[in-house]
Amino acid sequence: MAVLLVTNIHTLVTMDDERREIRHGAMLIRDQVIEQVGTMDELPPNARETADEILDLGDRHIVLPGLVNTHHHFFQTLTRAIPAAQNQELFGWLNTLYPIWSNLTAEMLAIGAQMAAAELMLSGCTTASDHHYLFPNDCTLDVEIRAVQAMGLRFHACRGSLTVGQSQGGLPPDSVIESEAFVLQDSQRLIETYHDPDPYAMVRIVLAPTSPFSVTPDLMRESATLARVYANVQLHTHLAENNNDIAYSLEKFGQTPEDYAESVGWLGEDVWHAHCVKLSDRAIAQFARTGTGVAHCPCSNMRLASGIAPLRKLLDHQVPVGLGVDGSASNDTSHLLQEARMALLLARVKEEDPAALTAREALWIATRGGAEVLGRPDIGSLAAGMAADFIAINLDRPALAGAHHDPVAALIFCQVDRVDYSFINGKPVVAAGVLLTRDLSDLVETHNQLAQKLLETP
């Protein structure tokens, strides 16, 4: 069994139930699990002698739990900043991009996923959920899962689906539509092939019909029924993202989005919804009562002018909230620490209150909040028995100069471009700011070639 000692930590931000921040911290890890945290004096006296590896951070790094991303569309790294989609709201943006996305191939999907994973990992993310809903040509969710596994990222793979095309009153073009029978069959196959319900799982499957305006109520109900046959299989979709989303729900179903979700069995502790910008006070109470989670995506919501989600109200009602960078064609980045900063700033703008969200609350949402949303009590904090997912950020950088009085808050108020170290499941994936699991220059070159090919495909 491999033992790692992390020592001389400037500040160890545990995100435990007491929210301890340990000055001159240390951490002892055995294989993929944290065995003990505290000061060096509180660790076993022979910790140095018995460790197989020692990471000495020289009293210059903050260590905190790996960040948790609760909503993304990895493949969209291939279509960032498309001119025709730059100034569109959600529905127009989708209609612009669907014809391009319909040319996606398995090779493109794999490289796009690895690019998104690399960007996330360098920004401090150690667990990510990706909502993939397009399966043209030779694309399968298996392709994405294998590509992300090679990167070393802890992964919740969402099996999305589009089953109601434009000819049936839906938004997606008919060319990307699947049959609902196949979606359910493939969902079951994926669960039984890849899903790991146990603690410290590196891969879990989520059932995720893409949105109320792209699948039928029957598929929503049947997906919920199927997911609940298995242990720790969750449900995820988009909900109440903007005013057009609300209007569609009222016209098509005669219900608000939250009432529609309730009618198809999509409220509960095993469900989380992306965006929820337009949730009413009654809906927030419904979410709170049922334990339904929210993936808050501030950058995408601003980019598409969808509005500002009621984050403070959600938190005050104890609704589980995590952060999501959303698709890299509507953000257009995959930088999770930046997303936490935007969450803080946007909450203050919405409430017109400089105390509407604190820096430490933003970090909590990015770690413990995301873990709760994904149903993962084994990640999101640094404590005995937790997964060894952690990141370290060197304080000796220009962006943090002058912030020594509160370096923890500085991680949010200032701009941190990338982490210095990242460990996932006890294994190093970033060291000295360098990604270890993939040659980044090769990945960028290959990605750009495939992105160009995607745009040029007739």
Side-chain angles (χ1 to χ4, degrees):
M1 298 181 72
V3 178
L4 168 67
L5 173 65
V6 186
T7 186
N8 283 326
I9 299 168
H10 181 283
T11 305
L12 177 59
V13 183
T14 66
M15 293 295 173
D16 64 10
D17 291 342
E18 289 76 40
R19 306 194 184 208
R20 290 181 300 155
E21 296 175 7
I22 303 171
R23 186 73 173 93
H24 304 303
M27 188 162 51
L28 194 64
I29 294 164
R30 193 174 301 274
D31 285 343
Q32 81 272 31
V33 180
I34 297 171
E35 194 166 275
Q36 192 172 344
V37 300
T39 64
M40 196 63 200
D41 290 341
E42 292 170 331
L43 266 59
N46 63 343
R48 285 187 177 276
E49 290 73 25
T50 58
D52 298 297
E53 182 181 355
I54 297 175
L55 177 61
D56 189 329
L57 294 177
D59 198 37
R60 294 154 73 176
H61 295 71
I62 285 187
V63 168
L64 62 158
L67 310 183
V68 180
N69 180 36
T70 63
H71 185 66
H72 207 322
H73 306 293
F74 280 12
F75 78 97
Q76 289 181 14
T77 59
L78 296 156
T79 53
R80 296 196 235 224
I82 298 295
Q86 287 178 12
N87 304 314
Q88 300 270 7
E89 60 80 41
L90 175 63
F91 283 18
W93 175 87
L94 283 169
N95 283 327
T96 300
L97 292 171
Y98 271 137
I100 300 172
W101 293 340
S102 66
N103 296 316
L104 190 71
T105 66
E107 182 185 18
M108 294 170 184
L109 173 58
I111 293 298
Q114 290 192 336
M115 190 74 257
E119 194 175 1
L120 285 169
M121 292 161 73
L122 287 167
S123 74
C125 178
T126 56
T127 298
S129 173
D130 184 57
H131 191 181
H132 187 74
Y133 51 82
L134 275 168
F135 300 96
N137 306 308
D138 54 349
C139 294
T140 64
L141 199 61
D142 310 64
V143 168
E144 184 182 27
I145 291 170
R146 289 193 293 268
V148 175
Q149 283 180 311
M151 299 296 290
L153 182 66
R154 199 180 297 274
F155 192 44
H156 285 221
C158 297
R159 205 303 181 182
S161 50
L162 303 170
T163 65
V164 177
Q166 290 174 347
S167 64
Q168 298 172 285
L171 197 67
D174 289 351
S175 61
V176 296
I177 295 306
E178 298 179 284
S179 77
E180 297 195 346
F182 176 75
V183 169
L184 291 167
Q185 176 187 347
D186 194 50
S187 296
Q188 182 172 356
R189 177 190 68 81
L190 289 163
I191 293 170
E192 294 180 353
T193 303
Y194 297 104
H195 181 70
D196 182 355
D198 295 333
Y200 317 121
M202 287 296 289
V203 177
R204 284 191 179 169
I205 299 297
V206 178
L207 300 193
T210 303
S211 65
F213 50 81
S214 57
V215 300
T216 68
D218 283 344
L219 183 61
M220 297 290 284
R221 292 189 191 94
E222 291 178 37
S223 295
T225 298
L226 175 61
R228 287 164 180 155
V229 170
Y230 298 90
N232 295 324
V233 174
Q234 288 188 286
L235 299 165
H236 180 55
T237 193
H238 299 79
L239 198 77
E241 186 168 351
N242 69 3
N243 288 328
N244 285 335
D245 196 346
I246 303 293
Y248 182 93
S249 185
L250 291 171
E251 179 183 348
K252 188 74 174 178
F253 309 119
Q255 295 175 301
T256 61
E258 63 270 15
D259 286 341
Y260 172 77
E262 185 173 43
S263 73
V264 292
W266 275 67
L267 296 181
E269 293 180 356
D270 58 347
V271 182
W272 85 101
H273 297 281
H275 301 292
C276 297
V277 172
K278 299 296 181 178
L279 283 189
S280 65
D281 288 350
R282 187 172 69 87
I284 291 171
Q286 283 176 288
F287 275 48
R289 185 178 67 253
T290 57
T292 306
V294 171
H296 177 42
C297 308
C299 286
S300 177
N301 295 341
M302 287 188 283
R303 160 77 155 77
L304 297 176
S306 298
I308 306 176
L311 178 59
R312 186 69 261 169
K313 283 187 178 180
L314 291 167
L315 296 175
D316 288 345
H317 284 77
Q318 298 184 314
V319 173
V321 180
L323 287 179
V325 299
D326 200 13
S328 292
S330 71
N331 187 316
D332 292 19
T333 184
S334 306
H335 196 295
L336 196 51
L337 197 55
Q338 175 183 281
E339 205 71 33
R341 184 173 189 263
M342 290 299 105
L344 175 139
L345 297 175
L346 200 55
R348 293 181 175 200
V349 169
K350 181 173 180 62
E351 305 299 333
E352 297 184 15
D353 178 2
L357 194 74
T358 70
R360 284 169 172 79
E361 284 180 305
L363 285 172
W364 181 272
I365 294 167
T367 53
R368 283 291 292 273
E372 183 181 6
V373 164
L374 295 186
R376 295 298 298 257
D378 54 341
I379 65 172
S381 66
L382 301 179
M386 302 298 290
D389 293 2
F390 66 94
I391 57 176
I393 297 170
N394 193 326
L395 297 173
D396 293 338
R397 59 178 71 204
L400 298 180
H404 58 279
H405 34 270
D406 192 352
V408 177
L411 299 180
I412 296 297
F413 282 110
C414 305
Q415 180 66 39
V416 176
D417 57 345
R418 65 172 61 188
V419 301
D420 293 278
Y421 293 93
S422 177
F423 283 71
I424 301 177
N425 212 36
K427 298 177 181 178
V429 295
V430 175
V434 176
L435 185 70
L436 301 179
T437 57
R438 183 72 157 84
D439 182 287
L440 200 55
S441 60
D442 174 71
L443 176 59
V444 170
E445 181 179 358
T446 303
H447 182 276
N448 285 342
Q449 291 171 354
L450 291 173
Q452 188 64 34
K453 183 177 179 181
L454 177 62
L455 290 176
E456 292 174 350
T457 302

